mmCIF file of all heavy atoms in Angstrom:
data_model
loop_
_atom_site.group_PDB
_atom_site.id
_atom_site.type_symbol
_atom_site.label_atom_id
_atom_site.label_comp_id
_atom_site.label_asym_id
_atom_site.label_seq_id
_atom_site.Cartn_x
_atom_site.Cartn_y
_atom_site.Cartn_z
ATOM 1 N N ALA L 320 31.816 -6.884 146.601
ATOM 2 C CA ALA L 320 32.408 -6.726 145.314
ATOM 3 C C ALA L 320 33.898 -6.762 145.414
ATOM 4 O O ALA L 320 34.453 -6.533 146.553
ATOM 5 C CB ALA L 320 31.995 -5.336 144.697
ATOM 6 N N GLU L 321 34.558 -7.076 144.345
ATOM 7 C CA GLU L 321 36.020 -6.851 144.238
ATOM 8 C C GLU L 321 36.205 -5.416 143.773
ATOM 9 O O GLU L 321 36.027 -5.151 142.561
ATOM 10 C CB GLU L 321 36.620 -7.877 143.225
ATOM 11 C CG GLU L 321 38.100 -7.637 143.023
ATOM 12 C CD GLU L 321 38.896 -7.596 144.358
ATOM 13 O OE1 GLU L 321 39.095 -8.656 144.961
ATOM 14 O OE2 GLU L 321 39.236 -6.457 144.751
ATOM 15 N N SER L 322 36.533 -4.545 144.681
ATOM 16 C CA SER L 322 36.567 -3.131 144.350
ATOM 17 C C SER L 322 37.974 -2.625 144.193
ATOM 18 O O SER L 322 38.187 -1.428 143.903
ATOM 19 C CB SER L 322 35.850 -2.325 145.393
ATOM 20 O OG SER L 322 36.420 -2.542 146.683
ATOM 21 N N ARG L 323 38.995 -3.465 144.372
ATOM 22 C CA ARG L 323 40.414 -3.042 144.236
ATOM 23 C C ARG L 323 40.758 -3.045 142.739
ATOM 24 O O ARG L 323 40.824 -4.158 142.177
ATOM 25 C CB ARG L 323 41.288 -3.893 145.075
ATOM 26 C CG ARG L 323 41.011 -3.790 146.583
ATOM 27 C CD ARG L 323 41.693 -4.931 147.344
ATOM 28 N NE ARG L 323 41.180 -6.266 146.947
ATOM 29 C CZ ARG L 323 41.703 -7.380 147.395
ATOM 30 N NH1 ARG L 323 42.693 -7.385 148.204
ATOM 31 N NH2 ARG L 323 41.200 -8.535 146.992
ATOM 32 N N VAL L 324 40.983 -1.900 142.196
ATOM 33 C CA VAL L 324 41.216 -1.794 140.738
ATOM 34 C C VAL L 324 42.432 -2.621 140.307
ATOM 35 O O VAL L 324 42.377 -3.326 139.298
ATOM 36 C CB VAL L 324 41.366 -0.332 140.340
ATOM 37 C CG1 VAL L 324 41.770 -0.200 138.887
ATOM 38 C CG2 VAL L 324 40.047 0.418 140.551
ATOM 39 N N ALA L 325 43.502 -2.536 141.083
ATOM 40 C CA ALA L 325 44.723 -3.267 140.739
ATOM 41 C C ALA L 325 44.501 -4.764 140.747
ATOM 42 O O ALA L 325 44.963 -5.474 139.846
ATOM 43 C CB ALA L 325 45.836 -2.849 141.648
ATOM 44 N N VAL L 326 43.806 -5.258 141.772
ATOM 45 C CA VAL L 326 43.521 -6.682 141.864
ATOM 46 C C VAL L 326 42.605 -7.123 140.715
ATOM 47 O O VAL L 326 42.823 -8.200 140.124
ATOM 48 C CB VAL L 326 42.862 -7.023 143.242
ATOM 49 C CG1 VAL L 326 42.409 -8.443 143.299
ATOM 50 C CG2 VAL L 326 43.882 -6.736 144.374
ATOM 51 N N SER L 327 41.597 -6.337 140.408
ATOM 52 C CA SER L 327 40.661 -6.735 139.347
ATOM 53 C C SER L 327 41.381 -6.829 137.966
ATOM 54 O O SER L 327 41.098 -7.684 137.141
ATOM 55 C CB SER L 327 39.518 -5.760 139.246
ATOM 56 O OG SER L 327 39.935 -4.514 138.868
ATOM 57 N N ALA L 328 42.414 -5.949 137.746
ATOM 58 C CA ALA L 328 43.153 -6.045 136.498
ATOM 59 C C ALA L 328 43.994 -7.307 136.409
ATOM 60 O O ALA L 328 44.128 -7.865 135.312
ATOM 61 C CB ALA L 328 44.047 -4.801 136.399
ATOM 62 N N LEU L 329 44.432 -7.813 137.502
ATOM 63 C CA LEU L 329 45.238 -9.020 137.555
ATOM 64 C C LEU L 329 44.389 -10.289 137.444
ATOM 65 O O LEU L 329 44.865 -11.335 137.025
ATOM 66 C CB LEU L 329 46.100 -9.088 138.766
ATOM 67 C CG LEU L 329 47.194 -8.030 138.919
ATOM 68 C CD1 LEU L 329 47.854 -8.078 140.308
ATOM 69 C CD2 LEU L 329 48.256 -8.235 137.825
ATOM 70 N N ASP L 330 43.129 -10.160 137.835
ATOM 71 C CA ASP L 330 42.235 -11.372 137.891
ATOM 72 C C ASP L 330 40.848 -10.972 137.332
ATOM 73 O O ASP L 330 39.859 -10.925 138.106
ATOM 74 C CB ASP L 330 42.128 -11.861 139.316
ATOM 75 C CG ASP L 330 41.287 -13.171 139.445
ATOM 76 O OD1 ASP L 330 41.043 -13.744 138.389
ATOM 77 O OD2 ASP L 330 40.874 -13.493 140.581
ATOM 78 N N PRO L 331 40.746 -10.717 136.021
ATOM 79 C CA PRO L 331 39.419 -10.353 135.494
ATOM 80 C C PRO L 331 38.381 -11.449 135.628
ATOM 81 O O PRO L 331 37.203 -11.115 135.863
ATOM 82 C CB PRO L 331 39.748 -10.064 134.027
ATOM 83 C CG PRO L 331 41.095 -10.651 133.741
ATOM 84 C CD PRO L 331 41.825 -10.688 135.024
ATOM 85 N N ALA L 332 38.781 -12.675 135.544
ATOM 86 C CA ALA L 332 37.804 -13.794 135.671
ATOM 87 C C ALA L 332 37.257 -13.841 137.103
ATOM 88 O O ALA L 332 36.020 -13.964 137.289
ATOM 89 C CB ALA L 332 38.466 -15.131 135.296
ATOM 90 N N GLY L 333 38.120 -13.701 138.094
ATOM 91 C CA GLY L 333 37.656 -13.729 139.471
ATOM 92 C C GLY L 333 36.838 -12.491 139.786
ATOM 93 O O GLY L 333 35.830 -12.569 140.531
ATOM 94 N N THR L 334 37.145 -11.352 139.190
ATOM 95 C CA THR L 334 36.382 -10.170 139.367
ATOM 96 C C THR L 334 34.995 -10.312 138.830
ATOM 97 O O THR L 334 33.976 -9.904 139.407
ATOM 98 C CB THR L 334 37.113 -8.978 138.713
ATOM 99 O OG1 THR L 334 38.403 -8.753 139.350
ATOM 100 C CG2 THR L 334 36.277 -7.684 138.874
ATOM 101 N N ALA L 335 34.919 -10.919 137.590
ATOM 102 C CA ALA L 335 33.599 -11.143 136.989
ATOM 103 C C ALA L 335 32.713 -12.066 137.868
ATOM 104 O O ALA L 335 31.514 -11.831 137.982
ATOM 105 C CB ALA L 335 33.783 -11.724 135.586
ATOM 106 N N ASN L 338 31.757 -9.783 140.986
ATOM 107 C CA ASN L 338 30.968 -8.568 140.721
ATOM 108 C C ASN L 338 29.730 -8.784 139.795
ATOM 109 O O ASN L 338 28.783 -8.101 139.939
ATOM 110 C CB ASN L 338 31.874 -7.483 140.086
ATOM 111 C CG ASN L 338 32.921 -6.990 141.038
ATOM 112 O OD1 ASN L 338 32.999 -7.424 142.178
ATOM 113 N ND2 ASN L 338 33.764 -6.162 140.557
ATOM 114 N N LEU L 383 36.919 2.521 132.216
ATOM 115 C CA LEU L 383 38.273 2.435 131.763
ATOM 116 C C LEU L 383 39.018 1.226 132.352
ATOM 117 O O LEU L 383 40.200 0.968 131.968
ATOM 118 C CB LEU L 383 39.047 3.724 132.125
ATOM 119 C CG LEU L 383 38.548 5.027 131.515
ATOM 120 C CD1 LEU L 383 39.400 6.185 131.958
ATOM 121 C CD2 LEU L 383 38.582 4.924 129.971
ATOM 122 N N THR L 384 38.404 0.576 133.283
ATOM 123 C CA THR L 384 39.088 -0.507 134.014
ATOM 124 C C THR L 384 38.257 -1.804 133.987
ATOM 125 O O THR L 384 37.079 -1.759 133.691
ATOM 126 C CB THR L 384 39.333 -0.120 135.498
ATOM 127 O OG1 THR L 384 38.053 0.056 136.101
ATOM 128 C CG2 THR L 384 40.132 1.137 135.603
ATOM 129 N N VAL L 385 38.917 -2.884 134.319
ATOM 130 C CA VAL L 385 38.218 -4.162 134.471
ATOM 131 C C VAL L 385 37.176 -4.055 135.534
ATOM 132 O O VAL L 385 36.038 -4.536 135.406
ATOM 133 C CB VAL L 385 39.230 -5.303 134.769
ATOM 134 C CG1 VAL L 385 38.502 -6.572 135.189
ATOM 135 C CG2 VAL L 385 40.143 -5.556 133.588
ATOM 136 N N TYR L 386 37.527 -3.420 136.624
ATOM 137 C CA TYR L 386 36.580 -3.212 137.710
ATOM 138 C C TYR L 386 35.347 -2.461 137.198
ATOM 139 O O TYR L 386 34.193 -2.843 137.423
ATOM 140 C CB TYR L 386 37.247 -2.423 138.834
ATOM 141 C CG TYR L 386 36.230 -1.856 139.863
ATOM 142 C CD1 TYR L 386 35.489 -2.697 140.665
ATOM 143 C CD2 TYR L 386 36.012 -0.503 139.920
ATOM 144 C CE1 TYR L 386 34.563 -2.189 141.561
ATOM 145 C CE2 TYR L 386 35.109 0.001 140.827
ATOM 146 C CZ TYR L 386 34.387 -0.823 141.675
ATOM 147 O OH TYR L 386 33.481 -0.335 142.526
ATOM 148 N N GLY L 387 35.572 -1.316 136.531
ATOM 149 C CA GLY L 387 34.446 -0.541 135.988
ATOM 150 C C GLY L 387 33.574 -1.342 135.034
ATOM 151 O O GLY L 387 32.332 -1.241 135.070
ATOM 152 N N SER L 388 34.204 -2.097 134.170
ATOM 153 C CA SER L 388 33.451 -2.921 133.210
ATOM 154 C C SER L 388 32.573 -3.937 133.911
ATOM 155 O O SER L 388 31.456 -4.170 133.507
ATOM 156 C CB SER L 388 34.409 -3.595 132.213
ATOM 157 O OG SER L 388 35.087 -2.614 131.432
ATOM 158 N N SER L 389 33.158 -4.557 134.926
ATOM 159 C CA SER L 389 32.359 -5.588 135.643
ATOM 160 C C SER L 389 31.186 -4.967 136.401
ATOM 161 O O SER L 389 30.106 -5.487 136.432
ATOM 162 C CB SER L 389 33.293 -6.350 136.633
ATOM 163 O OG SER L 389 33.680 -5.523 137.689
ATOM 164 N N LYS L 390 31.440 -3.745 136.981
ATOM 165 C CA LYS L 390 30.318 -3.125 137.670
ATOM 166 C C LYS L 390 29.237 -2.626 136.670
ATOM 167 O O LYS L 390 28.086 -2.598 137.028
ATOM 168 C CB LYS L 390 30.895 -1.891 138.501
ATOM 169 C CG LYS L 390 31.750 -2.304 139.651
ATOM 170 C CD LYS L 390 30.996 -3.195 140.683
ATOM 171 C CE LYS L 390 30.123 -2.360 141.604
ATOM 172 N NZ LYS L 390 29.522 -3.121 142.710
ATOM 173 N N ARG L 514 48.549 4.413 136.705
ATOM 174 C CA ARG L 514 47.830 3.418 135.976
ATOM 175 C C ARG L 514 47.818 3.786 134.478
ATOM 176 O O ARG L 514 47.780 4.959 134.135
ATOM 177 C CB ARG L 514 46.382 3.345 136.464
ATOM 178 C CG ARG L 514 46.242 2.805 137.878
ATOM 179 C CD ARG L 514 44.851 2.880 138.390
ATOM 180 N NE ARG L 514 44.732 2.410 139.754
ATOM 181 C CZ ARG L 514 43.768 2.799 140.564
ATOM 182 N NH1 ARG L 514 42.805 3.622 140.162
ATOM 183 N NH2 ARG L 514 43.723 2.365 141.826
#
Side-chain angles (χ1 to χ4, degrees):
E321 176 50 77
S322 58
R323 297 167 297 174
V324 173
V326 172
S327 66
L329 294 172
D330 184 16
T334 299
N338 293 358
L383 297 180
T384 62
V385 170
Y386 166 69
S388 296
S389 69
K390 292 299 281 188
R514 293 174 185 157

